[in-house]
């Protein structure tokens, strides 16, 4: 039986469940109204009793609502850079007066395994200080490396950089045991696991790992305030595999449980799995996804003619200057162009720089903005490297290696590993 609003006499077939008598039906309706009225009266009475018993209920509800709003972790409530005149990264800057989290619970983490990456990491840390991050800075370094209390004249290049990180950029230094695999000869492959030791840095509630072979264009402090999740990563938007996550930027909640999972996956890795493959296996379906746009732009994007994958739609027009301006992180992926700390061989830049685009066939006009932006990013990297580490290049580039058939057969990833 369903309610039809006002009582209307029902046709016999409409009636089910034995309510065949219209008189008895109207009685029932009346009864139902009566019942509703009784329930309403009882509820009102109850409410009155409640209000009588707790005259301050109204106030308490308001206070509760106020507390809830006040303690909500509002992203717009982020402290602005230098607004309080504190030194950048002052650990006692709390997120908001009501939050139990402190900026000292958060750190940007870098790992170093060789002198090139040591300098790259320093450049990331220098940028984070320049962009006045509120979080701490953490460097994981091989425990065999000695860091003297004070630097003397004859100190080695690496030693100077380590001391500079600690003393000038106020970086926390975490000695780690770099994992080596007996059967594996490829050192680049072995190093890629070191990044994952960030899961074990449980002295922090959240860490952000940023690949050091890139240029940081802003701090990313807002990512520390993402809703809680073991990991958050952007998508590797350049890969044909849909939904594959990029490990160039990882927001991690270090914990014993997650570190055990990751450690187990490292010890039982399959074939030539890199850190990125492992993370996708473990977190591919559950990771928070950070927008790749702004947070993980490949320098190779300035070579491309299609930008739908990066921009997220075919509707927007690619503007290289706007893309650079809005980006917070640009990762150097320009294969076969070498990484920017390797001195290009003669002709390499000319051959591999982005092409100018013809904008008019009549006037023969060209637009070279892509090229200018791309060259600018590399020039900026080189200048900062000289300034921060005292040298522009670590070595001369080698002619690019080709991906061999053996690589393909062994299932080695075609995408560019971090170490090159
Ligand atoms: C609201 O916050 C104040 C101060 O922290 C606390 O004393 C009070 O009990 C809170 N009220 C409620 C309803 O949670
Ligand atoms: C930060 O807080 C800690 C513990 O609350 C305190 O020991 C330290 O002196 C504070 N540092 C600054 C710079 O205020
Ligand atoms: C993980 O962290 C713990 C505690 O700091 C440390 O004892 C352990 O050696 C670390 N594990 C690895 C593989 O570095
Ligand atoms: C590199 O670029 C950044 C961001 O545009 C700028 O702030 C910095 O001054 C540049 N550094 C050099 C050495 O050109």
């Amino acid at each position: 039986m369903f309610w039809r609003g006002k009582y209307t006499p029902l046709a016999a077939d409409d009636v089910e469940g034995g309510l065949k008598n219209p008189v008895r039906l109207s009685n029932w309706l009346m009864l139902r109204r009566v019942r509703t009225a009784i329930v309403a009266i009882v509820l009102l009475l109850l409410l009155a009793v409640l209000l009588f018993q707790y005259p301050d209920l109204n106030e308490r509800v308001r206070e509760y609502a106020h507390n809830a709003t006040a303690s909500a972790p509002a992203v717009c409530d982020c402290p602005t850079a230098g607004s309080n005149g504190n030194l950048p990264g002052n650990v006692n800057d709390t997120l908001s007066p009501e939050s139990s989290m402190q900026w000292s619970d958060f750190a940007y983490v870098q790992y170093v395994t060789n002198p090139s990456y040591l300098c790259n990491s320093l450049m990331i840390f220098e940028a984070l200080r320049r962009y006045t991050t509120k979080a701490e800075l953490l460097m994981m370094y091989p425990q065999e490396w000695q860091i003297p209390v004070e630097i003397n004249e004859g100190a080695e290049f690496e030693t100077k950089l380590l001391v500079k990180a600690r003393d000038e950029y106020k970086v926390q230094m975490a000695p780690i045991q770099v994992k080596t695999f007996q059967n594996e000869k490829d050192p680049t492959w072995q190093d890629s696991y070191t990044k994952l030791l960030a899961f074990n840095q449980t002295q922090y509630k959240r860490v952000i790992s940023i690949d050091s072979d890139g240029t940081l264009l802003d701090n990313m402090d807002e990512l520390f305030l993402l809703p809680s999740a073991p990991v958050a990563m952007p998508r590797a938007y350049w890969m044909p595999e849909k939904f594959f996550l990029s490990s160039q930027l990882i927001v991690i909640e270090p914990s014993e449980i997650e570190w055990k999972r990751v450690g187990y996956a490292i010890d039982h890795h399959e074939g030539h799995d890199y850190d990125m493959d492992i993370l996708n296996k473990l977190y591919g379906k559950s990771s928070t996804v950070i927008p790749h746009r702004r947070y993980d732009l490949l320098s190779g994007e300035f070579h491309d003619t299609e930008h739908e994958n990066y921009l997220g739609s075919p509707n927007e027009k690619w503007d290289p200057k706007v893309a650079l301006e809005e980006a917070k992180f640009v990762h150097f992926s320009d294969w076969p162009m070498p990484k920017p700390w390797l001195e290009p061989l003669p002709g390499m830049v000319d051959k591999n720089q982005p092409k100018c685009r013809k904008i008019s066939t009549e006037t023969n006009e060209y637009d070279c903005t892509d090229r200018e932006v791309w060259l600018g990013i590399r020039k900026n990297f080189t200048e900062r490297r000289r300034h921060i580490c005292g040298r522009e290049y670590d070595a001369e580039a080698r002619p690019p290696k080709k991906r061999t058939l053996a690589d393909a057969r062994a299932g080695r990833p075609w995408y560019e590993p971090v170490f090159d």
Side-chain angles (χ1 to χ4, degrees), residues 34 93 163 279 339 376-377:
V34 168
D93 253 333
V163 170
L279 290 177
K339 297 283 186 184
I377 301 170

Side-chain angles (χ1 to χ4, degrees), residues 41-61:
I41 287 164
V42 168
L43 277 177
L44 275 171
L45 274 172
L46 263 174
L47 196 65
V49 169
L50 264 175
L51 282 172
F52 181 71
Q53 290 231 328
Y54 302 99
D56 61 344
L57 188 67
N58 192 20
E59 207 162 290
R60 279 169 33 122
V61 166

Side-chain angles (χ1 to χ4, degrees), residues 90-92 102:
N90 185 331
V91 296
N92 287 0
Q102 293 214 310

Side-chain angles (χ1 to χ4, degrees), residues 55-116:
D56 61 344
L57 188 67
N58 192 20
E59 207 162 290
R60 279 169 33 122
V61 166
R62 237 187 282 153
E63 185 187 324
Y64 202 84
H66 174 80
N67 278 11
T69 351
S71 59
V75 170
C76 52
D77 199 24
C78 306
T80 45
S83 59
N84 47 16
N86 283 333
L87 284 173
N90 185 331
V91 296
N92 287 0
D93 253 333
T94 48
L95 298 174
S96 74
E98 307 283 330
S99 170
S100 63
M101 292 268 203
Q102 293 214 310
W103 283 104
S104 56
D105 292 329
F106 305 140
Y108 290 90
V109 62
Q110 293 282 308
Y111 68 97
V112 299
T113 47
N114 65 46
S116 285

Side-chain angles (χ1 to χ4, degrees), residues 143 175-179 197 199-203 259 263:
Q143 58 192 9
I176 48 154
Q177 203 178 342
V178 177
K179 212 168 176 59
L197 285 170
F199 281 89
N200 197 29
Q201 300 300 321
T202 49
Q203 68 275 34
W259 167 240

Side-chain angles (χ1 to χ4, degrees), residues 84-263:
N84 47 16
N86 283 333
L87 284 173
N90 185 331
V91 296
N92 287 0
D93 253 333
T94 48
L95 298 174
S96 74
E98 307 283 330
S99 170
S100 63
M101 292 268 203
Q102 293 214 310
W103 283 104
S104 56
D105 292 329
F106 305 140
Y108 290 90
V109 62
Q110 293 282 308
Y111 68 97
V112 299
T113 47
N114 65 46
S116 285
Y117 276 78
L118 177 56
C119 174
N120 290 350
S121 295
L122 233 66
M123 291 171 72
I124 297 282
F125 286 141
E126 183 275 333
L128 285 165
R129 285 293 180 224
R130 192 156 29 89
Y131 302 126
T132 59
T133 175
K134 300 276 184 198
E136 297 203 344
L137 309 180
L138 177 73
M139 182 189 278
M140 303 189 293
Y141 70 98
Q143 58 192 9
E144 300 80 22
W145 293 6
Q146 301 296 323
I147 314 181
V149 179
E150 274 190 47
I151 203 82
N152 57 33
E153 280 302 305
E156 284 179 35
F157 177 73
E158 294 85 351
T159 312
K160 282 183 187 154
L161 294 189
L162 284 166
V163 170
K164 184 170 180 159
R166 185 193 63 195
D167 295 350
E168 193 173 328
Y169 303 132
K170 306 284 180 252
V171 176
Q172 310 292 319
M173 308 299 285
I176 48 154
Q177 203 178 342
V178 177
K179 212 168 176 59
T180 53
F181 292 88
Q182 296 276 305
N183 306 327
E184 199 50 56
K185 291 188 186 73
D186 179 1
T188 66
W189 174 84
Q190 296 201 1
D191 282 355
S192 94
Y193 289 112
T194 311
K195 189 198 291 185
L196 301 180
L197 285 170
F199 281 89
N200 197 29
Q201 300 300 321
T202 49
Q203 68 275 34
Y204 293 103
K205 294 208 171 94
R206 229 172 194 170
V207 298
I208 297 182
S209 162
I210 303 173
D211 273 6
S212 61
D213 51 346
T215 289
L216 203 59
L217 297 164
D218 199 353
N219 76 51
M220 299 184 174
D221 286 0
E222 68 281 3
L223 296 184
F224 289 112
L225 308 180
L226 283 172
S228 178
V231 300
M233 300 162 85
R235 298 236 189 261
Y237 71 92
W238 57 93
M239 289 187 55
E241 285 93 333
K242 264 191 190 172
F243 310 129
F244 210 70
L245 298 165
S246 160
S247 61
Q248 289 166 7
L249 170 65
I250 325 169
V251 181
I252 299 170
E253 285 179 0
S255 79
E256 208 177 308
I257 286 187
E258 297 306 324
W259 167 240
K260 267 193 188 148
R261 295 182 67 206
V262 171

